[in-house]
Amino acid sequence: EPEVTQTPSHQVTQMGQEVILRCVPISNHLYFYWYRQILGQKVEFLVSFYNNEISEKSEIFDDQFSVERPDGSNFTLKIRSTKLEDSAMYFCASSEVASGTDTQYFGPGTRLTVL
Amino acid sequence: GNSVTQMEGPVTLSEEAFLTINCTYTATGYPSLFWYVQYPGEGLQLLLKATKADDKGSNKGFEATYRKETTSFHLEKGSVQVSDSAVYFCALSRGGKLIFGQGTELSVKP
């Protein structure tokens, strides 16, 4: 069964450093998402992406964050200058369409630890 | 605004016990509702969904009914197994993005 993959599974970085989290969505999916979960808190929507553009972003997704689909398979989340509060599990997801009824398929997540 | 509230965890049950995890939502209109499950060390997996009022989603012995009148989508299973131990997330969909509850950890003891 096709699945969403994410690398790395765990990233440790120093405050102020840039990180890039990578995702490979399911191949025939057109819509891509990033979510994050701070330890002990809810899973929160960050951004959705379609046709090489951001469709929607949350208030969390400020200028320090960016997303890109650099080639036909990868979808990346970049945090330009990490802060301690960026420590969280980051989940990538993809779906065939962006209707409210469609299922989003999630990757296993990348745990980001900012020291 | 749109939000989802789940019952607090952790929930600890003995094998073959009946499970209910409560989920209520606040939303404009009629969103689709989902239950996702996260097994230890894995990502979120769709367990079941319902897209309109009175729909019942079901999968792997789990069920949930979309109740518009009570704005609820409670998850139930008649007889849990040790392998059901996981974190369960209720979510609603608005414009393609998911809004999650806080998750409920379930631990099933043999």
Side-chain angles (χ1 to χ4, degrees):
Chain A
E1 185 178 323
E3 58 183 17
V4 177
T5 59
Q6 290 185 242
T7 53
S9 57
H10 191 189
Q11 173 95 45
V12 181
T13 190
Q14 295 291 325
M15 192 169 55
Q17 295 295 304
E18 175 183 287
V19 294
I20 298 176
L21 310 183
R22 290 181 165 75
C23 168
V24 179
I26 293 172
S27 62
N28 64 329
H29 286 185
L30 300 177
Y31 294 84
F32 314 118
Y33 312 84
W34 284 101
Y35 294 81
R36 80 171 185 191
Q37 185 181 29
I38 295 171
L39 189 63
Q41 298 186 25
K42 293 185 179 186
V43 177
E44 302 171 289
F45 168 80
L46 291 178
V47 66
S48 59
F49 189 86
Y50 168 71
N51 199 27
N52 284 319
E53 290 184 349
I54 290 175
S55 305
E56 185 175 355
K57 61 183 180 180
S58 71
E59 61 275 9
I60 302 168
F61 194 88
D62 61 22
D63 292 344
Q64 293 298 314
F65 291 89
S66 62
V67 288
E68 192 179 31
R69 187 154 165 82
D71 53 42
S73 60
N74 288 283
F75 178 52
T76 61
L77 174 69
K78 182 193 292 186
I79 309 175
R80 199 180 340 271
S81 176
T82 50
K83 308 183 190 71
L84 295 176
E85 54 266 35
D86 293 328
S87 293
M89 182 73 89
Y90 289 80
F91 294 105
C92 174
S94 69
S95 64
E96 284 187 69
V97 295
S99 74
T101 60
D102 198 41
T103 298
Q104 294 183 22
Y105 294 86
F106 284 76
T110 292
R111 179 167 298 285
L112 176 66
T113 302
V114 182
L115 302 176
Chain B
N2 301 302
S3 66
V4 176
T5 302
Q6 289 180 236
M7 66 186 285
E8 294 277 332
V11 172
T12 302
L13 295 174
S14 297
E15 207 164 22
E16 299 183 3
F18 184 86
L19 169 71
T20 300
I21 301 178
N22 289 338
C23 171
T24 57
Y25 67 90
T26 302
T28 53
Y30 304 106
S32 293
L33 301 174
F34 302 81
W35 277 100
Y36 278 83
V37 59
Q38 184 178 32
Y39 297 104
E42 299 184 16
L44 298 167
Q45 302 175 24
L46 178 70
L47 182 58
L48 53 84
K49 70 179 185 183
T51 58
K52 61 183 187 295
D54 300 323
D55 264 4
K56 178 187 283 188
S58 61
N59 185 26
K60 300 182 182 178
F62 290 89
E63 293 183 341
T65 301
Y66 189 142
R67 302 280 187 207
K68 185 179 67 171
E69 62 276 11
T70 54
T71 61
S72 65
F73 193 54
H74 304 320
L75 182 68
E76 296 181 336
K77 187 174 185 182
S79 176
V80 293
Q81 306 300 311
V82 173
S83 57
D84 294 326
S85 298
V87 181
Y88 292 81
F89 294 91
C90 185
L92 66 83
S93 178
R94 296 310 285 170
K97 76 180 182 191
L98 292 171
I99 296 168
F100 286 90
Q102 66 268 41
T104 302
E105 182 179 359
L106 170 66
S107 178
V108 181
K109 306 296 185 188

